Amino acid sequence: MKLSCILLLVALMVCNIQAKKKKIPKFEPILEMREVTIEQIQSERDGSFDKQVMYVTFRKEYVDSKGLLEVTNHYAEGLNNKGVVVDEYVQINARKVGVVITTITDMMEIKEYSKARKSVLMVKSGEERIIGAHVTEDEKKDLYSTITGKKRKTKGKKKKKTKQVNDDL
């Protein structure tokens, strides 16, 4: 009798936990993204706080090997599995995608998710820039040089010419 009561109680708890779990909608792959400029996407927002745009820049090697649409689909599927609701993905340039969202909690989730993705070079949200964890030192230097507008020297340091010492004593 006691055993059946315990089993019934456990079964009710399991049902309750499953009912509370957030239902994740099925992922629909992105078939095409519209191309926009940053100015266009900002004008579509009309200064409202309802829509937020985060800019995700993917690493060059991933975009070159798989293509921007496939890399974005892989990224979007991961966000979907995390429960992030994205209104739209828009293409800004060859490596940058705008992620249009409506809630601040989704914005925080995108930042945390992007830090762990190998394909992500940088996430920009307003003035905040987050560099991906897997970015190499050269990619960081290139990125900072494009942000600051200064050209980065691609060659190593110049070696100073030194006089040769003759040991003819």
Side-chain angles (χ1 to χ4, degrees):
M1 187 71 165
K2 288 183 181 183
L3 183 62
S4 63
C5 289
I6 292 174
L7 289 175
L8 183 62
L9 203 88
V10 169
L12 286 173
M13 287 182 4
V14 168
C15 289
N16 192 17
I17 290 171
Q18 287 182 349
K20 285 184 180 180
K21 275 188 180 178
K22 189 176 182 180
K23 295 279 183 178
I24 297 173
K26 185 180 176 197
F27 176 69
E28 296 290 329
I30 303 164
L31 301 176
E32 63 180 342
M33 288 187 289
R34 64 185 176 110
E35 293 184 29
V36 296
T37 63
I38 293 176
E39 292 79 23
Q40 286 174 327
I41 198 74
Q42 292 297 334
S43 68
E44 288 177 11
R45 283 185 55 208
D46 292 331
S48 70
F49 291 104
D50 293 343
K51 283 188 178 179
Q52 300 294 324
V53 183
M54 296 186 69
Y55 302 100
V56 179
T57 306
F58 293 105
R59 293 170 68 184
K60 186 176 184 341
E61 60 200 40
Y62 282 85
V63 174
D64 289 347
S65 66
K66 296 180 181 178
L68 183 64
L69 194 59
E70 187 175 334
V71 172
T72 305
N73 267 324
H74 192 261
Y75 182 80
E77 185 176 7
L79 285 178
N80 184 62
N81 292 342
K82 290 271 187 185
V84 177
V85 179
V86 176
D87 288 349
E88 183 181 17
Y89 292 93
V90 292
Q91 181 178 349
I92 306 298
N93 61 30
R95 292 173 41 206
K96 188 185 279 188
V97 172
V99 181
V100 182
I101 53 175
T102 56
T103 62
I104 303 256
T105 55
D106 285 346
M107 183 183 286
M108 299 307 287
E109 194 71 37
I110 289 173
K111 288 177 187 178
E112 290 300 314
Y113 177 74
S114 298
K115 287 179 187 176
R117 303 300 307 162
K118 287 184 179 179
S119 60
V120 175
L121 176 69
M122 180 183 74
V123 176
K124 184 176 179 228
S125 155
E127 293 302 315
E128 182 183 15
R129 290 182 176 98
I130 299 171
I131 307 287
H134 301 281
V135 175
T136 64
E137 194 64 34
D138 282 341
E139 287 173 320
K140 282 183 187 178
K141 287 178 182 176
D142 283 339
L143 183 62
Y144 285 130
S145 68
T146 57
I147 290 170
T148 59
K150 297 178 182 176
K151 286 192 175 181
R152 180 178 163 244
K153 294 179 183 177
T154 55
K155 295 182 180 179
K157 293 181 181 178
K158 291 183 179 178
K159 294 182 181 178
K160 292 182 181 179
K161 293 182 180 178
T162 57
K163 295 181 182 178
Q164 286 184 339
V165 177
N166 292 335
D167 292 331
D168 294 342
L169 296 178

PDB file of all heavy atoms in Angstrom, residues 21-29 72-86 89 106 109-110 113 117:
ATOM      1  N   LYS A  21       7.884  22.373 -18.023  1.00  0.00           N
ATOM      2  CA  LYS A  21       8.954  22.594 -18.981  1.00  0.00           C
ATOM      3  C   LYS A  21       8.454  23.452 -20.126  1.00  0.00           C
ATOM      4  O   LYS A  21       7.327  23.309 -20.600  1.00  0.00           O
ATOM      5  CB  LYS A  21       9.462  21.268 -19.557  1.00  0.00           C
ATOM      6  CG  LYS A  21      10.495  20.602 -18.707  1.00  0.00           C
ATOM      7  CD  LYS A  21      11.071  19.422 -19.448  1.00  0.00           C
ATOM      8  CE  LYS A  21      12.120  18.736 -18.631  1.00  0.00           C
ATOM      9  NZ  LYS A  21      12.664  17.571 -19.311  1.00  0.00           N
ATOM     10  N   LYS A  22       9.328  24.343 -20.569  1.00  0.00           N
ATOM     11  CA  LYS A  22       8.984  25.221 -21.674  1.00  0.00           C
ATOM     12  C   LYS A  22       8.986  24.414 -22.968  1.00  0.00           C
ATOM     13  O   LYS A  22       9.947  23.719 -23.286  1.00  0.00           O
ATOM     14  CB  LYS A  22      10.020  26.344 -21.755  1.00  0.00           C
ATOM     15  CG  LYS A  22       9.673  27.426 -22.704  1.00  0.00           C
ATOM     16  CD  LYS A  22      10.705  28.526 -22.620  1.00  0.00           C
ATOM     17  CE  LYS A  22      10.329  29.657 -23.540  1.00  0.00           C
ATOM     18  NZ  LYS A  22      11.329  30.729 -23.467  1.00  0.00           N
ATOM     19  N   LYS A  23       7.910  24.517 -23.687  1.00  0.00           N
ATOM     20  CA  LYS A  23       7.814  23.810 -24.960  1.00  0.00           C
ATOM     21  C   LYS A  23       8.645  24.559 -25.996  1.00  0.00           C
ATOM     22  O   LYS A  23       8.445  25.745 -26.223  1.00  0.00           O
ATOM     23  CB  LYS A  23       6.359  23.742 -25.436  1.00  0.00           C
ATOM     24  CG  LYS A  23       5.465  22.934 -24.539  1.00  0.00           C
ATOM     25  CD  LYS A  23       5.607  21.486 -24.826  1.00  0.00           C
ATOM     26  CE  LYS A  23       4.635  20.712 -23.967  1.00  0.00           C
ATOM     27  NZ  LYS A  23       4.651  19.321 -24.204  1.00  0.00           N
ATOM     28  N   ILE A  24       9.595  23.865 -26.584  1.00  0.00           N
ATOM     29  CA  ILE A  24      10.450  24.461 -27.603  1.00  0.00           C
ATOM     30  C   ILE A  24       9.799  24.238 -28.964  1.00  0.00           C
ATOM     31  O   ILE A  24       9.525  23.099 -29.354  1.00  0.00           O
ATOM     32  CB  ILE A  24      11.853  23.827 -27.575  1.00  0.00           C
ATOM     33  CG1 ILE A  24      12.512  24.108 -26.228  1.00  0.00           C
ATOM     34  CG2 ILE A  24      12.704  24.353 -28.706  1.00  0.00           C
ATOM     35  CD1 ILE A  24      13.820  23.396 -26.024  1.00  0.00           C
ATOM     36  N   PRO A  25       9.536  25.328 -29.691  1.00  0.00           N
ATOM     37  CA  PRO A  25       8.926  25.154 -31.005  1.00  0.00           C
ATOM     38  C   PRO A  25       9.913  24.489 -31.970  1.00  0.00           C
ATOM     39  O   PRO A  25      11.127  24.595 -31.811  1.00  0.00           O
ATOM     40  CB  PRO A  25       8.605  26.585 -31.440  1.00  0.00           C
ATOM     41  CG  PRO A  25       9.494  27.454 -30.639  1.00  0.00           C
ATOM     42  CD  PRO A  25       9.771  26.724 -29.365  1.00  0.00           C
ATOM     43  N   LYS A  26       9.369  23.826 -32.949  1.00  0.00           N
ATOM     44  CA  LYS A  26      10.190  23.149 -33.940  1.00  0.00           C
ATOM     45  C   LYS A  26      10.947  24.199 -34.752  1.00  0.00           C
ATOM     46  O   LYS A  26      10.405  25.233 -35.121  1.00  0.00           O
ATOM     47  CB  LYS A  26       9.310  22.308 -34.860  1.00  0.00           C
ATOM     48  CG  LYS A  26      10.091  21.480 -35.840  1.00  0.00           C
ATOM     49  CD  LYS A  26       9.201  20.670 -36.724  1.00  0.00           C
ATOM     50  CE  LYS A  26      10.043  19.939 -37.745  1.00  0.00           C
ATOM     51  NZ  LYS A  26       9.277  19.461 -38.854  1.00  0.00           N
ATOM     52  N   PHE A  27      12.212  23.912 -35.023  1.00  0.00           N
ATOM     53  CA  PHE A  27      13.044  24.864 -35.764  1.00  0.00           C
ATOM     54  C   PHE A  27      12.705  24.839 -37.241  1.00  0.00           C
ATOM     55  O   PHE A  27      12.688  23.798 -37.872  1.00  0.00           O
ATOM     56  CB  PHE A  27      14.526  24.545 -35.564  1.00  0.00           C
ATOM     57  CG  PHE A  27      15.434  25.422 -36.373  1.00  0.00           C
ATOM     58  CD1 PHE A  27      15.560  26.760 -36.080  1.00  0.00           C
ATOM     59  CD2 PHE A  27      16.142  24.911 -37.438  1.00  0.00           C
ATOM     60  CE1 PHE A  27      16.389  27.584 -36.825  1.00  0.00           C
ATOM     61  CE2 PHE A  27      16.968  25.705 -38.184  1.00  0.00           C
ATOM     62  CZ  PHE A  27      17.101  27.048 -37.884  1.00  0.00           C
ATOM     63  N   GLU A  28      12.436  26.013 -37.763  1.00  0.00           N
ATOM     64  CA  GLU A  28      12.197  26.181 -39.203  1.00  0.00           C
ATOM     65  C   GLU A  28      13.451  26.808 -39.805  1.00  0.00           C
ATOM     66  O   GLU A  28      13.801  27.938 -39.461  1.00  0.00           O
ATOM     67  CB  GLU A  28      10.992  27.096 -39.447  1.00  0.00           C
ATOM     68  CG  GLU A  28       9.681  26.554 -38.937  1.00  0.00           C
ATOM     69  CD  GLU A  28       9.189  25.363 -39.732  1.00  0.00           C
ATOM     70  OE1 GLU A  28       9.481  25.296 -40.950  1.00  0.00           O
ATOM     71  OE2 GLU A  28       8.536  24.505 -39.133  1.00  0.00           O
ATOM     72  N   PRO A  29      14.143  26.113 -40.708  1.00  0.00           N
ATOM     73  CA  PRO A  29      15.379  26.669 -41.275  1.00  0.00           C
ATOM     74  C   PRO A  29      15.118  27.961 -42.053  1.00  0.00           C
ATOM     75  O   PRO A  29      14.050  28.147 -42.637  1.00  0.00           O
ATOM     76  CB  PRO A  29      15.888  25.584 -42.210  1.00  0.00           C
ATOM     77  CG  PRO A  29      15.025  24.413 -42.024  1.00  0.00           C
ATOM     78  CD  PRO A  29      13.847  24.796 -41.206  1.00  0.00           C
ATOM     79  N   THR A  72      24.372  30.692 -40.369  1.00  0.00           N
ATOM     80  CA  THR A  72      23.282  31.357 -39.645  1.00  0.00           C
ATOM     81  C   THR A  72      22.214  30.354 -39.229  1.00  0.00           C
ATOM     82  O   THR A  72      21.672  30.444 -38.119  1.00  0.00           O
ATOM     83  CB  THR A  72      22.651  32.464 -40.516  1.00  0.00           C
ATOM     84  OG1 THR A  72      23.677  33.360 -40.940  1.00  0.00           O
ATOM     85  CG2 THR A  72      21.613  33.243 -39.745  1.00  0.00           C
ATOM     86  N   ASN A  73      21.901  29.397 -40.076  1.00  0.00           N
ATOM     87  CA  ASN A  73      20.925  28.363 -39.722  1.00  0.00           C
ATOM     88  C   ASN A  73      21.395  27.545 -38.526  1.00  0.00           C
ATOM     89  O   ASN A  73      20.607  27.228 -37.634  1.00  0.00           O
ATOM     90  CB  ASN A  73      20.663  27.435 -40.910  1.00  0.00           C
ATOM     91  CG  ASN A  73      19.487  27.882 -41.732  1.00  0.00           C
ATOM     92  OD1 ASN A  73      18.508  28.393 -41.206  1.00  0.00           O
ATOM     93  ND2 ASN A  73      19.592  27.713 -43.036  1.00  0.00           N
ATOM     94  N   HIS A  74      22.672  27.200 -38.503  1.00  0.00           N
ATOM     95  CA  HIS A  74      23.220  26.429 -37.380  1.00  0.00           C
ATOM     96  C   HIS A  74      23.143  27.248 -36.098  1.00  0.00           C
ATOM     97  O   HIS A  74      22.767  26.739 -35.039  1.00  0.00           O
ATOM     98  CB  HIS A  74      24.667  26.031 -37.692  1.00  0.00           C
ATOM     99  CG  HIS A  74      25.210  25.023 -36.753  1.00  0.00           C
ATOM    100  ND1 HIS A  74      26.010  25.364 -35.700  1.00  0.00           N
ATOM    101  CD2 HIS A  74      25.054  23.681 -36.693  1.00  0.00           C
ATOM    102  CE1 HIS A  74      26.339  24.280 -35.022  1.00  0.00           C
ATOM    103  NE2 HIS A  74      25.771  23.239 -35.606  1.00  0.00           N
ATOM    104  N   TYR A  75      23.463  28.524 -36.200  1.00  0.00           N
ATOM    105  CA  TYR A  75      23.395  29.440 -35.056  1.00  0.00           C
ATOM    106  C   TYR A  75      21.943  29.610 -34.593  1.00  0.00           C
ATOM    107  O   TYR A  75      21.645  29.550 -33.403  1.00  0.00           O
ATOM    108  CB  TYR A  75      23.986  30.781 -35.486  1.00  0.00           C
ATOM    109  CG  TYR A  75      24.042  31.827 -34.414  1.00  0.00           C
ATOM    110  CD1 TYR A  75      25.038  31.824 -33.459  1.00  0.00           C
ATOM    111  CD2 TYR A  75      23.095  32.845 -34.365  1.00  0.00           C
ATOM    112  CE1 TYR A  75      25.099  32.787 -32.478  1.00  0.00           C
ATOM    113  CE2 TYR A  75      23.147  33.814 -33.391  1.00  0.00           C
ATOM    114  CZ  TYR A  75      24.155  33.785 -32.450  1.00  0.00           C
ATOM    115  OH  TYR A  75      24.200  34.748 -31.485  1.00  0.00           O
ATOM    116  N   ALA A  76      21.036  29.771 -35.552  1.00  0.00           N
ATOM    117  CA  ALA A  76      19.616  29.970 -35.233  1.00  0.00           C
ATOM    118  C   ALA A  76      19.005  28.729 -34.596  1.00  0.00           C
ATOM    119  O   ALA A  76      18.155  28.832 -33.705  1.00  0.00           O
ATOM    120  CB  ALA A  76      18.847  30.338 -36.503  1.00  0.00           C
ATOM    121  N   GLU A  77      19.432  27.559 -35.032  1.00  0.00           N
ATOM    122  CA  GLU A  77      18.908  26.323 -34.446  1.00  0.00           C
ATOM    123  C   GLU A  77      19.316  26.216 -32.975  1.00  0.00           C
ATOM    124  O   GLU A  77      18.524  25.818 -32.126  1.00  0.00           O
ATOM    125  CB  GLU A  77      19.420  25.122 -35.230  1.00  0.00           C
ATOM    126  CG  GLU A  77      18.838  23.803 -34.764  1.00  0.00           C
ATOM    127  CD  GLU A  77      19.282  22.629 -35.618  1.00  0.00           C
ATOM    128  OE1 GLU A  77      20.141  22.799 -36.503  1.00  0.00           O
ATOM    129  OE2 GLU A  77      18.749  21.526 -35.393  1.00  0.00           O
ATOM    130  N   GLY A  78      20.551  26.596 -32.682  1.00  0.00           N
ATOM    131  CA  GLY A  78      21.003  26.579 -31.291  1.00  0.00           C
ATOM    132  C   GLY A  78      20.232  27.564 -30.428  1.00  0.00           C
ATOM    133  O   GLY A  78      19.867  27.269 -29.295  1.00  0.00           O
ATOM    134  N   LEU A  79      19.965  28.758 -30.974  1.00  0.00           N
ATOM    135  CA  LEU A  79      19.166  29.739 -30.228  1.00  0.00           C
ATOM    136  C   LEU A  79      17.753  29.229 -30.005  1.00  0.00           C
ATOM    137  O   LEU A  79      17.168  29.428 -28.937  1.00  0.00           O
ATOM    138  CB  LEU A  79      19.116  31.075 -30.978  1.00  0.00           C
ATOM    139  CG  LEU A  79      20.371  31.932 -30.925  1.00  0.00           C
ATOM    140  CD1 LEU A  79      20.169  33.192 -31.749  1.00  0.00           C
ATOM    141  CD2 LEU A  79      20.754  32.274 -29.511  1.00  0.00           C
ATOM    142  N   ASN A  80      17.192  28.564 -30.997  1.00  0.00           N
ATOM    143  CA  ASN A  80      15.849  28.000 -30.876  1.00  0.00           C
ATOM    144  C   ASN A  80      15.807  26.952 -29.771  1.00  0.00           C
ATOM    145  O   ASN A  80      14.857  26.909 -28.995  1.00  0.00           O
ATOM    146  CB  ASN A  80      15.407  27.404 -32.211  1.00  0.00           C
ATOM    147  CG  ASN A  80      13.991  26.907 -32.165  1.00  0.00           C
ATOM    148  OD1 ASN A  80      13.067  27.684 -31.945  1.00  0.00           O
ATOM    149  ND2 ASN A  80      13.809  25.613 -32.353  1.00  0.00           N
ATOM    150  N   ASN A  81      16.832  26.117 -29.706  1.00  0.00           N
ATOM    151  CA  ASN A  81      16.896  25.094 -28.662  1.00  0.00           C
ATOM    152  C   ASN A  81      17.023  25.709 -27.269  1.00  0.00           C
ATOM    153  O   ASN A  81      16.626  25.092 -26.288  1.00  0.00           O
ATOM    154  CB  ASN A  81      18.053  24.135 -28.918  1.00  0.00           C
ATOM    155  CG  ASN A  81      17.819  23.281 -30.143  1.00  0.00           C
ATOM    156  OD1 ASN A  81      16.694  23.147 -30.612  1.00  0.00           O
ATOM    157  ND2 ASN A  81      18.882  22.726 -30.680  1.00  0.00           N
ATOM    158  N   LYS A  82      17.587  26.915 -27.186  1.00  0.00           N
ATOM    159  CA  LYS A  82      17.695  27.624 -25.909  1.00  0.00           C
ATOM    160  C   LYS A  82      16.386  28.331 -25.539  1.00  0.00           C
ATOM    161  O   LYS A  82      16.268  28.871 -24.452  1.00  0.00           O
ATOM    162  CB  LYS A  82      18.805  28.678 -25.977  1.00  0.00           C
ATOM    163  CG  LYS A  82      20.175  28.109 -26.023  1.00  0.00           C
ATOM    164  CD  LYS A  82      20.661  27.942 -24.635  1.00  0.00           C
ATOM    165  CE  LYS A  82      22.115  27.530 -24.643  1.00  0.00           C
ATOM    166  NZ  LYS A  82      22.586  27.241 -23.319  1.00  0.00           N
ATOM    167  N   GLY A  83      15.440  28.353 -26.470  1.00  0.00           N
ATOM    168  CA  GLY A  83      14.151  28.991 -26.191  1.00  0.00           C
ATOM    169  C   GLY A  83      14.106  30.465 -26.549  1.00  0.00           C
ATOM    170  O   GLY A  83      13.200  31.186 -26.142  1.00  0.00           O
ATOM    171  N   VAL A  84      15.088  30.952 -27.311  1.00  0.00           N
ATOM    172  CA  VAL A  84      15.126  32.353 -27.720  1.00  0.00           C
ATOM    173  C   VAL A  84      14.193  32.550 -28.916  1.00  0.00           C
ATOM    174  O   VAL A  84      14.280  31.824 -29.900  1.00  0.00           O
ATOM    175  CB  VAL A  84      16.563  32.780 -28.085  1.00  0.00           C
ATOM    176  CG1 VAL A  84      16.595  34.213 -28.588  1.00  0.00           C
ATOM    177  CG2 VAL A  84      17.481  32.606 -26.899  1.00  0.00           C
ATOM    178  N   VAL A  85      13.308  33.532 -28.806  1.00  0.00           N
ATOM    179  CA  VAL A  85      12.374  33.831 -29.890  1.00  0.00           C
ATOM    180  C   VAL A  85      12.943  34.989 -30.706  1.00  0.00           C
ATOM    181  O   VAL A  85      13.076  36.108 -30.213  1.00  0.00           O
ATOM    182  CB  VAL A  85      10.987  34.209 -29.334  1.00  0.00           C
ATOM    183  CG1 VAL A  85      10.036  34.549 -30.464  1.00  0.00           C
ATOM    184  CG2 VAL A  85      10.448  33.084 -28.479  1.00  0.00           C
ATOM    185  N   VAL A  86      13.289  34.712 -31.956  1.00  0.00           N
ATOM    186  CA  VAL A  86      13.877  35.713 -32.841  1.00  0.00           C
ATOM    187  C   VAL A  86      12.825  36.119 -33.867  1.00  0.00           C
ATOM    188  O   VAL A  86      12.192  35.271 -34.489  1.00  0.00           O
ATOM    189  CB  VAL A  86      15.132  35.155 -33.543  1.00  0.00           C
ATOM    190  CG1 VAL A  86      15.694  36.160 -34.526  1.00  0.00           C
ATOM    191  CG2 VAL A  86      16.182  34.771 -32.522  1.00  0.00           C
ATOM    192  N   TYR A  89      16.099  37.397 -38.989  1.00  0.00           N
ATOM    193  CA  TYR A  89      17.527  37.456 -39.234  1.00  0.00           C
ATOM    194  C   TYR A  89      17.709  38.234 -40.534  1.00  0.00           C
ATOM    195  O   TYR A  89      17.072  37.923 -41.538  1.00  0.00           O
ATOM    196  CB  TYR A  89      18.130  36.055 -39.417  1.00  0.00           C
ATOM    197  CG  TYR A  89      18.125  35.230 -38.153  1.00  0.00           C
ATOM    198  CD1 TYR A  89      17.077  34.373 -37.856  1.00  0.00           C
ATOM    199  CD2 TYR A  89      19.181  35.304 -37.257  1.00  0.00           C
ATOM    200  CE1 TYR A  89      17.078  33.616 -36.704  1.00  0.00           C
ATOM    201  CE2 TYR A  89      19.185  34.544 -36.091  1.00  0.00           C
ATOM    202  CZ  TYR A  89      18.138  33.710 -35.824  1.00  0.00           C
ATOM    203  OH  TYR A  89      18.144  32.966 -34.677  1.00  0.00           O
ATOM    204  N   ASP A 106      16.082  37.581 -23.930  1.00  0.00           N
ATOM    205  CA  ASP A 106      16.611  36.921 -25.125  1.00  0.00           C
ATOM    206  C   ASP A 106      17.961  37.522 -25.518  1.00  0.00           C
ATOM    207  O   ASP A 106      18.852  36.815 -25.984  1.00  0.00           O
ATOM    208  CB  ASP A 106      15.628  37.041 -26.289  1.00  0.00           C
ATOM    209  CG  ASP A 106      14.435  36.119 -26.133  1.00  0.00           C
ATOM    210  OD1 ASP A 106      14.487  35.211 -25.277  1.00  0.00           O
ATOM    211  OD2 ASP A 106      13.440  36.294 -26.868  1.00  0.00           O
ATOM    212  N   GLU A 109      20.526  35.990 -23.341  1.00  0.00           N
ATOM    213  CA  GLU A 109      20.727  34.591 -23.745  1.00  0.00           C
ATOM    214  C   GLU A 109      21.582  34.516 -25.008  1.00  0.00           C
ATOM    215  O   GLU A 109      22.439  33.636 -25.139  1.00  0.00           O
ATOM    216  CB  GLU A 109      19.364  33.932 -23.977  1.00  0.00           C
ATOM    217  CG  GLU A 109      19.415  32.438 -24.059  1.00  0.00           C
ATOM    218  CD  GLU A 109      19.703  31.765 -22.731  1.00  0.00           C
ATOM    219  OE1 GLU A 109      19.223  32.238 -21.696  1.00  0.00           O
ATOM    220  OE2 GLU A 109      20.421  30.750 -22.750  1.00  0.00           O
ATOM    221  N   ILE A 110      21.367  35.434 -25.948  1.00  0.00           N
ATOM    222  CA  ILE A 110      22.160  35.466 -27.185  1.00  0.00           C
ATOM    223  C   ILE A 110      23.622  35.749 -26.865  1.00  0.00           C
ATOM    224  O   ILE A 110      24.527  35.122 -27.425  1.00  0.00           O
ATOM    225  CB  ILE A 110      21.592  36.501 -28.172  1.00  0.00           C
ATOM    226  CG1 ILE A 110      20.264  36.004 -28.745  1.00  0.00           C
ATOM    227  CG2 ILE A 110      22.572  36.780 -29.304  1.00  0.00           C
ATOM    228  CD1 ILE A 110      19.540  37.011 -29.594  1.00  0.00           C
ATOM    229  N   TYR A 113      25.100  32.599 -25.301  1.00  0.00           N
ATOM    230  CA  TYR A 113      25.200  31.536 -26.296  1.00  0.00           C
ATOM    231  C   TYR A 113      26.331  31.821 -27.287  1.00  0.00           C
ATOM    232  O   TYR A 113      27.072  30.922 -27.664  1.00  0.00           O
ATOM    233  CB  TYR A 113      23.860  31.400 -27.038  1.00  0.00           C
ATOM    234  CG  TYR A 113      23.872  30.391 -28.139  1.00  0.00           C
ATOM    235  CD1 TYR A 113      23.869  29.035 -27.859  1.00  0.00           C
ATOM    236  CD2 TYR A 113      23.890  30.785 -29.472  1.00  0.00           C
ATOM    237  CE1 TYR A 113      23.897  28.094 -28.876  1.00  0.00           C
ATOM    238  CE2 TYR A 113      23.903  29.858 -30.486  1.00  0.00           C
ATOM    239  CZ  TYR A 113      23.911  28.517 -30.186  1.00  0.00           C
ATOM    240  OH  TYR A 113      23.940  27.590 -31.194  1.00  0.00           O
ATOM    241  N   ARG A 117      30.122  29.766 -29.066  1.00  0.00           N
ATOM    242  CA  ARG A 117      30.109  29.305 -30.454  1.00  0.00           C
ATOM    243  C   ARG A 117      31.445  29.540 -31.121  1.00  0.00           C
ATOM    244  O   ARG A 117      31.990  30.638 -31.066  1.00  0.00           O
ATOM    245  CB  ARG A 117      29.019  30.025 -31.268  1.00  0.00           C
ATOM    246  CG  ARG A 117      27.622  29.888 -30.733  1.00  0.00           C
ATOM    247  CD  ARG A 117      27.120  28.501 -30.637  1.00  0.00           C
ATOM    248  NE  ARG A 117      27.249  27.778 -31.871  1.00  0.00           N
ATOM    249  CZ  ARG A 117      27.197  26.468 -31.964  1.00  0.00           C
ATOM    250  NH1 ARG A 117      27.010  25.744 -30.897  1.00  0.00           N
ATOM    251  NH2 ARG A 117      27.324  25.881 -33.113  1.00  0.00           N
TER     252      ARG A 117
END
